[in-house]
């Protein structure tokens, strides 16, 4: 038995929240610099700032900077 019904094409993937926050992933021009998007990672204590070996903390911030975080607030610590 053959079915003559046609299959509708799949709907395009929609990012959750895209309708609520249409500008979230758009660049933000601050005049003196442009941030790649409006995603901000707030300051938080991870325990990685304790001790002298800061390589794990550097990797933590590097992963977020290479990802989709537009602005990272580091709090009372300046990664250098």
């Amino acid at each position: 038995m053959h079915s003559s019904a046609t299959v509708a094409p799949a709907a395009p993937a929609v990012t959750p929240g895209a309708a609520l926050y249409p500008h979230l992933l758009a660049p933000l021009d601050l005049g003196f610099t442009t941030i790649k998007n409006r995603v901000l990672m707030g300051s938080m204590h991870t325990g990685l700032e304790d001790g002298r070996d800061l390589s794990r903390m550097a990797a933590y911030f590097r992963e977020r900077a290479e990802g989709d975080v537009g602005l990272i607030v580091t709090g009372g610590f300046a990664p250098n």
Side-chain angles (χ1 to χ4, degrees):
M1 223 172 154
H2 281 330
S3 172
S4 61
T6 59
V7 177
V14 176
T15 304
L20 294 174
Y21 307 103
H23 303 291
L24 181 63
L25 300 178
L28 179 62
D29 183 359
L30 299 176
F32 61 94
T33 191
T34 300
I35 300 172
K36 71 179 179 178
N37 60 46
R38 296 141 196 253
V39 176
L40 182 136
M41 184 179 114
S43 174
M44 61 188 86
H45 292 284
T46 61
L48 299 174
E49 64 274 2
D50 299 336
R52 292 188 172 263
D53 181 15
L54 302 178
S55 59
R56 287 181 55 210
M57 185 172 67
Y60 174 83
F61 283 116
R62 181 176 34 257
E63 287 177 16
R64 280 133 189 93
E66 290 172 350
D68 287 330
V69 176
L71 180 66
I72 299 173
V73 179
T74 61
F77 190 85
N80 189 352

